Amino acid sequence: MAISGALNALKSSELVSWKPCGRVQQTLKRCVEASGTTLHSGKSSTVRLLPELAGKGRYFYFNSKSIPASIDYAQESSLCTTLSNDGVKIRTVEHLLSALEAMSVDNCRIEITNLDSDDSDLDSEVPILDGSAREWVERIEKDGLVAAKDECGNDCEKLAPYLNEPIHVSKNDSFVAAFPSPKVRVSYGIDFPQVEYMRNAGLIKGGSLDNAIVCSASKGWLNPPLRFSDEPCRHKILDLVGDLSLFARFGNQGLPVAHIVVYKGGHALHTNFGRHLNDSFKS
């Protein structure tokens, strides 16, 4: 698809303009697969990442249902990012989507299978692996990427959403704000509460010292050393990139080209910000 064709497939708004980023859309060279325990249910699942045509974007496929990795299908959730379509839900998609967005896997079919449940399940969860996106990135790097072709065998120019004016969303003392910038910049401030309530609520059943960094108010880090001195903050940025990747459409970039400033953010606030961007095309 030529640049003009790609631009015609999207419309800009006063808030966001879609512009060529100097690259063509990409997809995987071959299938990438990973299995493991899921964070919240504690069950096991397998994810297969498959090559897809240019312009198809990223989407999940589970139990004969397709769920686009789009902000239009994101459910309100504070503890993970959940996509839903026709009663079928895919949970904890943020780390995988962050890896796909960062690695420019623009078009991808994401098949997910529950390993210890029957075919009547209406929900699944992406395995947590080591708790970061590293294993996804390593698998993608190992197998490589290729230029994605459309149904006619043509390349498709990749577009990126450039922010034209400031925008913010907030809840209590938490906020996500963004300002026009010629390149992507992220500033993130954190203040973690205690997480024992999540265990009491029957969540993080698959959480362990192997897939999380755990800090005690009295004893400090329980599983040092950290990979980076600012690893907790980096992890929140990982979540942010995955959540904002849901703004992608037709195989183009989802993460806005802007200076994004966040304080005490979470999945619900991240996706609410994405919805505000999305709503600018509906007004």
Side-chain angles (χ1 to χ4, degrees):
M1 184 186 294
I3 294 178
S4 59
L7 287 171
N8 288 335
L10 294 168
K11 65 176 182 177
S12 297
S13 67
E14 291 185 3
L15 185 62
V16 175
S17 294
W18 292 93
K19 302 177 183 179
C21 60
R23 300 190 300 275
V24 297
Q25 292 184 15
Q26 297 185 115
T27 190
L28 298 162
K29 187 178 293 185
R30 58 181 63 88
C31 174
V32 174
E33 183 173 317
S35 300
T37 302
T38 61
L39 176 61
H40 290 297
S41 71
K43 298 179 180 180
S44 298
S45 67
T46 293
V47 169
R48 298 177 73 237
L49 310 178
L50 301 169
E52 186 52 281
L53 294 172
K56 294 293 186 179
R58 297 181 286 255
Y59 62 94
F60 288 83
Y61 189 81
F62 171 68
N63 206 6
S64 300
K65 293 283 187 179
S66 179
I67 307 178
S70 165
I71 195 67
D72 293 323
Y73 295 87
Q75 278 199 329
E76 184 75 17
S77 175
S78 59
L79 302 177
C80 68
T81 302
T82 299
L83 300 175
S84 178
N85 188 25
D86 290 337
V88 174
K89 297 180 181 179
I90 308 294
R91 307 177 193 276
T92 321
V93 301
E94 57 270 15
H95 295 174
L96 170 56
L97 290 180
S98 188
L100 295 175
E101 178 78 2
M103 296 295 291
S104 294
V105 183
D106 308 307
N107 302 279
C108 183
R109 176 184 171 105
I110 308 166
E111 296 183 351
I112 186 165
T113 305
N114 290 340
L115 298 181
D116 45 13
S117 303
D118 58 44
D119 293 336
S120 64
D121 281 352
L122 293 178
D123 64 87
S124 187
E125 188 176 356
V126 175
I128 192 63
L129 303 180
D130 74 341
S132 73
R134 183 175 68 176
E135 293 187 36
W136 292 117
V137 169
E138 290 175 347
R139 283 172 166 82
I140 294 167
E141 286 181 332
K142 178 181 177 181
D143 290 316
L145 302 175
V146 294
K149 305 294 184 179
D150 65 15
E151 294 175 345
C152 298
N154 300 317
D155 292 338
C156 186
E157 179 75 8
K158 183 176 179 178
L159 307 179
Y162 282 75
L163 191 69
N164 296 326
E165 57 187 50
I167 181 178
H168 77 278
V169 297
S170 62
K171 182 176 182 180
N172 300 325
D173 61 343
S174 304
F175 67 83
V176 179
F179 306 89
S181 172
K183 61 181 181 180
V184 176
R185 295 178 58 200
V186 178
S187 302
Y188 210 116
I190 60 174
D191 182 12
F192 284 115
Q194 295 181 343
V195 296
E196 186 62 29
Y197 76 94
M198 289 195 288
R199 289 197 179 275
N200 295 336
L203 300 172
I204 58 173
K205 293 178 180 178
S208 71
L209 295 180
D210 294 325
N211 57 36
I213 50 176
V214 184
C215 185
S216 165
S218 59
K219 299 178 182 179
W221 296 110
L222 301 185
N223 52 343
L226 300 183
R227 295 172 185 171
F228 305 94
S229 61
D230 58 352
E231 186 169 354
C233 203
R234 285 173 180 252
H235 188 96
K236 296 299 291 184
I237 295 174
L238 171 71
D239 287 344
L240 176 73
V241 172
D243 293 340
L244 295 188
S245 77
L246 297 173
F247 188 58
R249 53 193 71 190
F250 305 120
N252 294 295
Q253 181 171 314
L255 184 65
V257 179
H259 181 190
I260 304 169
V261 182
V262 189
Y263 179 63
K264 295 177 64 174
H267 297 297
L269 199 60
H270 296 166
T271 53
N272 190 26
F273 177 82
R275 289 189 187 92
H276 274 64
L277 292 177
N278 202 42
D279 288 346
S280 71
F281 295 97
K282 301 175 181 178
S283 57

